[in-house]
Amino acid sequence: MHNLLVTALLWTLLWVMQANLTERNMLESDLRKAISQNQLELYYQPQVGDDGRIVGAEALLRWEHPVKGMVSPADFIPLAEQTGLIMPIGHWVLGAACAQLMAWSNNPATAQLRIAVNVSALQFKEPNYVSQVISVLERSNVNPSLLTLELTESMLVNDVNDIITKMNALKSKGVCVSLDDFGTGYSSLNYLKKLPLDQIKIDQSFVRDMLTDEDDVTIVRTVIDLAHGMRLHVIAEGVETQAHRQFLADLGCHSFQGYLLSKPVPIGDFETILLAHNTAAAT
Ligand code: C2E
Ligand code: MG
Ligand code: MG
Ligand code: MG
């Protein structure tokens, strides 16, 4: 009787594992198609400066799956990284963001807007990553100083000297480098000192409960002070309420991104928000 139960359990387990594997394989082959069949899209989430004007946007990847609908990057970026598909996807993202910068460059209302693009640690590790970025910038004829690359602390498992060399090469072209999700990963103050960063981005997990949690306030305040001391630009993500925004501004945070202003939206909606918002901010 006991044996029978164990056997049944094992079979169930095997079946579940097999089903998961099949599901994963299907998602992988779908993701492969997504690139060639134009199912990927960039959404844009506004970033505002301390005067309240929209100064740019973070480009966030969306996958419109033909059957499943919108698949979240949290669900497919890890798979893309495991399968190496992050390389062509990351390349597509950069190209699409630069094409957008180019499209904005002829209109005075949009010519100064910046775009921040997320870069996977695996992409950044590629030996020719810097030349790839530069050639995309040149091909699209875009001012490199309008592009920000958001890197995460997870890249620090790789050779730090190589990271520094690459950052400096990008910076010499004018590209800005930001450390995303700051404080959630592997970084130490030692790295912060060594890396030639332009910006740090306070992770939303610290912002969320900042108004009620003493520890979060301390972390946020310390990160902002650190940024000031190191002459880095500091931006907060996950700014959901006016109270968040005011509190961060009082601490000296330079820019803000979050649902307070807008969720990430398709480009047409972003331009509508931009027009309404910056016109209002100017009057
Ligand atoms: P991230 O780079 O930290 O992006 C911020 C995430 O927080 C986005 O989720 C955004 O929609 C969400 N968010 C923004 N404001 C708020 C807010 O006020 N409240 C809350 N609760 N959430 C907010 P999203 O778009 O689902 O992206 C998740 C993650 O996927 C990103 O985190 C980034 O790590 C990754 N990702 C997105 N696009 C790309 C990409 O093109 N390449 C790579 N490598 N990763 C990407
Ligand atoms: Mg980001
Ligand atoms: Mg982030
Ligand atoms: Mg984050």
Side-chain angles (χ1 to χ4, degrees), residues 45 54 60 86 130 132 156-157 179 184 210 219 235 241:
Q45 186 176 36
I54 295 176
L60 292 152
I86 193 66
V130 173
Q132 275 181 37
L156 293 167
V157 298
L179 194 54
T184 61
M210 187 181 62
I219 292 171
I235 177 168
T241 63

Side-chain angles (χ1 to χ4, degrees), residues 42 45 58-62 72-74 77 81 86 89 93 117-120 123 150 152 180-181 201 203-204 208 237-240 257-260 262 264:
L42 288 182
Q45 186 176 36
E58 178 175 17
L60 292 152
L61 196 53
R62 295 293 181 262
S72 158
I77 295 285
E81 290 180 332
I86 193 66
I89 290 176
V93 168
V117 164
N118 292 285
V119 179
S120 153
Q123 281 177 272
E150 292 194 1
T152 61
D180 200 359
D181 305 334
K201 200 164 185 185
D203 190 63
Q204 53 183 284
R208 192 181 306 126
E237 68 178 19
V239 181
E240 293 190 352
Q257 177 185 338
Y259 294 172
L260 171 63
S262 169

Side-chain angles (χ1 to χ4, degrees), residues 22-66:
T22 312
E23 166 78 22
R24 215 192 95 116
N25 285 342
M26 276 170 63
L27 200 66
E28 183 187 336
S29 88
D30 284 358
L31 190 54
R32 246 172 241 289
K33 276 187 224 141
I35 309 169
S36 55
Q37 298 182 354
N38 283 329
Q39 294 164 11
L40 299 180
E41 189 180 347
L42 288 182
Y43 273 30
Y44 293 85
Q45 186 176 36
Q47 300 183 332
V48 293
D50 52 9
D51 62 356
R53 290 177 68 87
I54 295 176
V55 290
E58 178 175 17
L60 292 152
L61 196 53
R62 295 293 181 262
W63 177 14
E64 178 85 63
H65 187 283

